[in-house]
């Protein structure tokens, strides 16, 4: 096993494996950079401990390790492992389980199983979606975590301590007045919630991490959260959901995907991304109501659904032929190599 990891990561052995883990963390927002992943992990630990939920940070670390090692054990293509593509679903599983379930040994064992599961589920979903020229994105995390959270309702060994009680949608309070400083906090929380961290400090760390790898990604993450925040305030969504940034994280991912990753940043892709952000907000709200009777979170499901809806038509913004959205390697999306400051190719680090 150690030899396999060293060969996949290069000549640096353990250090290269650490970089692979960090890339896996960065790939949650499509960034193939260990430095970005490091800033993301710093933001996770800082925000989790600041909110008194330190176990979430350790869950994230365990999740990315388990899902990455699983890829090596199963002998999946080493190139995917080097780019962190085995780890990004696992790190999200690691954030979700301590967020929603109580701290028991069975929860941690379930976390390990679910994180490992996402690695081969991702491979399977991508095989199914390959003829459609799209990717499964974070849906392996969403699907597997949904199943485990639903199973926890039937298993007392997996305490649903922090999960919402199943209930039909009820009345809620919306904001009447908001200070500018509150808007900034809610905007940054929307970015931090990509990893289920309710902290504006985490949002700052994530923006810095994105900027290190792609200035376009940082810009569109900021736009995605800001535009989603504006829409839900105008349309008077739940004040508590707005203040926790719960309407921001899926639009952030949609914005990065449509405006910077799967299409070259330009005027047409910007309009496409803005439209995608708006649709994501409505899908997010609709899924809140849909999931309320079973009491589980939407996770990044709205992002996956909307991004599929916008990529499946294979609209030709940049290419003469129909585009291929099945992966975001520089060989497939050459504009990505030019987005990162001071780098010629996005997979050098």
């Amino acid at each position: 096993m150690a030899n396999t990891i060293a060969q996949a990561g290069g000549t640096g052995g353990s250090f290269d494996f650490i970089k692979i883990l960090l890339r896996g963390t960065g790939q949650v927002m499509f960034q193939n950079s260990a430095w970005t992943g490091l800033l993301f992990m710093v933001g996770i630990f800082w925000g989790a401990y600041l909110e008194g939920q330190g176990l979430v940070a350790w869950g994230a670390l365990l999740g990315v390790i388990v899902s990455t090692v699983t890829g090596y054990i199963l002998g999946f293509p080493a190139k995917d492992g080097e780019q962190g593509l085995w780890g990004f679903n696992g790190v999200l599983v690691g954030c979700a389980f301590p967020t929603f379930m109580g701290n028991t040994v069975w929860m941690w064992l379930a976390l390990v199983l679910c994180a490992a599961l996402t690695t081969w589920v991702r491979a399977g979903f991508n095989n199914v979606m390959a003829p459609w020229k799209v990717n499964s994105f974070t849906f392996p995390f969403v699907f597997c975590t949904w199943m485990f959270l639903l199973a926890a309702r039937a298993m007392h060994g997996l305490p649903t301590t922090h999960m919402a009680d199943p209930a039909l949608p009820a009345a809620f309070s919306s904001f009447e007045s908001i200070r500018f400083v509150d808007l900034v906090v809610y905007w940054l929380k929307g970015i931090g919630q990509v990893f289920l961290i309710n902290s504006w400090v985490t949002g700052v760390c994530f923006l810095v991490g994105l900027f290190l790898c792609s200035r376009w990604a940082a810009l569109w993450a900021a736009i995605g959260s800001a535009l989603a925040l504006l829409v839900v305030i105008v349309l008077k969504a739940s004040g508590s959901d707005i203040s926790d940034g719960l309407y921001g994280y899926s639009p952030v991912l949609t914005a990065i995907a449509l405006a910077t990753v799967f299409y070259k940043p330009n005027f047409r892709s910007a309009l496409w991304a803005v439209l995608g952000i708006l649709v994501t907000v409505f899908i997010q709200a609709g899924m809140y109501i849909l999931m309320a009777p079973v009491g589980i979170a939407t996770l990044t499901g709205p992002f996956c659904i909307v991004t599929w809806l916008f990529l499946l038509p294979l609209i030709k913004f940049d290419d003469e032929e129909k585009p291929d959205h099945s992966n975001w390697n520089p060989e497939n999306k050459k504009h990505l190599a030019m987005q990162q400051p001071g780098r010629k190719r996005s997979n050098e680090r």
Side-chain angles (χ1 to χ4, degrees):
M1 167 62 73
N3 290 336
T4 303
I5 293 174
Q7 291 171 5
T11 59
S14 298
F15 180 70
D16 286 310
F17 182 61
I18 292 172
K19 290 199 294 184
I20 287 169
L21 297 179
L22 292 175
R23 290 189 194 117
T25 306
Q27 287 284 12
V28 172
M29 297 196 207
F30 303 99
Q31 306 307 306
N32 181 21
S33 167
W35 289 114
T36 297
L38 178 61
L39 263 294
F40 284 6
M41 195 60 75
V42 168
I44 292 169
F45 269 84
W46 191 335
Y49 273 95
L50 196 66
E51 296 297 311
Q53 295 180 316
L55 293 179
V56 173
W58 293 107
L61 186 59
L62 178 61
V64 72
I65 292 173
V66 169
S67 57
T68 301
V69 170
T70 300
Y72 289 117
I73 293 174
L74 296 178
F76 287 156
K79 185 176 181 180
D80 282 359
E82 292 169 13
Q83 295 178 348
L85 297 177
W86 299 335
F88 67 92
N89 282 290
V91 71
L92 291 173
V93 169
C95 289
F97 274 51
T99 295
F100 297 113
M101 290 192 281
N103 181 24
T104 69
V105 64
W106 301 113
M107 183 276 289
W108 290 102
L109 291 174
L111 188 159
V112 169
L113 176 59
C114 188
L117 178 64
T118 62
T119 305
W120 68 79
V121 167
R122 173 184 178 272
F125 282 175
N126 283 347
N127 287 340
V128 171
M129 294 179 162
W132 304 341
K133 303 297 184 183
V134 294
N135 193 276
S136 62
F137 306 133
T138 58
F139 193 68
F141 149 67
V142 173
F143 176 78
C144 295
T145 303
W146 276 349
M147 293 303 103
F148 275 72
L149 292 181
L150 287 172
R153 298 289 188 190
M155 299 175 178
H156 291 305
L158 296 175
T160 58
T161 308
H162 309 296
M163 292 171 61
D165 293 329
L168 294 174
F172 57 83
S173 299
S174 56
F175 288 126
E176 296 299 330
S177 61
I178 312 175
R179 299 176 301 168
F180 177 76
V181 67
D182 293 328
L183 290 174
V184 174
V185 169
Y186 303 159
W187 164 63
L188 290 170
K189 281 186 175 183
I191 301 169
Q193 285 285 7
V194 170
F195 286 85
L196 291 89
I197 305 295
N198 184 20
S199 168
W200 67 269
V201 177
T202 298
V204 172
C205 290
F206 289 177
L207 281 178
V208 173
L210 287 169
F211 187 82
L212 288 178
C213 187
S214 169
R215 294 169 184 173
W216 280 112
L219 173 64
W220 276 99
I223 292 173
S225 184
L227 184 54
L229 178 61
L230 174 63
V231 172
V232 292
I233 289 176
V234 170
L235 296 182
K236 298 184 178 180
S238 166
S240 60
D241 288 345
I242 294 173
S243 63
D244 288 339
L246 296 181
Y247 276 102
Y249 62 92
S250 275
V252 164
L253 293 172
T254 301
I256 295 173
L258 296 180
T260 76
V261 176
F262 294 101
Y263 288 110
K264 183 188 301 183
N266 55 41
F267 182 72
R268 289 181 295 178
S269 64
L271 291 178
W272 198 236
V274 168
L275 186 59
I277 292 167
L278 296 175
V279 173
T280 304
V281 174
F282 284 93
I283 297 292
Q284 181 87 55
M287 288 189 69
Y288 279 151
I289 303 304
L290 182 66
M291 308 298 281
V294 292
I296 61 174
T298 64
L299 305 178
T300 56
F303 147 68
C304 294
I305 292 171
V306 173
T307 305
W308 289 333
L309 293 176
F310 277 69
L311 294 182
L312 279 169
L314 300 178
I315 295 174
K316 297 184 291 185
F317 285 157
D318 309 322
D319 305 317
E320 293 182 1
E321 299 179 356
K322 285 187 177 181
D324 181 356
H325 300 309
S326 60
N327 66 70
W328 55 94
N329 296 333
E331 293 82 0
N332 192 39
K333 298 293 180 185
K334 297 185 183 300
H335 67 274
L336 292 178
M338 305 304 297
Q339 286 186 21
Q340 296 140 17
R343 291 171 57 185
K344 294 181 180 179
R345 294 182 63 83
S346 63
N347 59 351
E348 288 180 355
R349 184 168 296 150

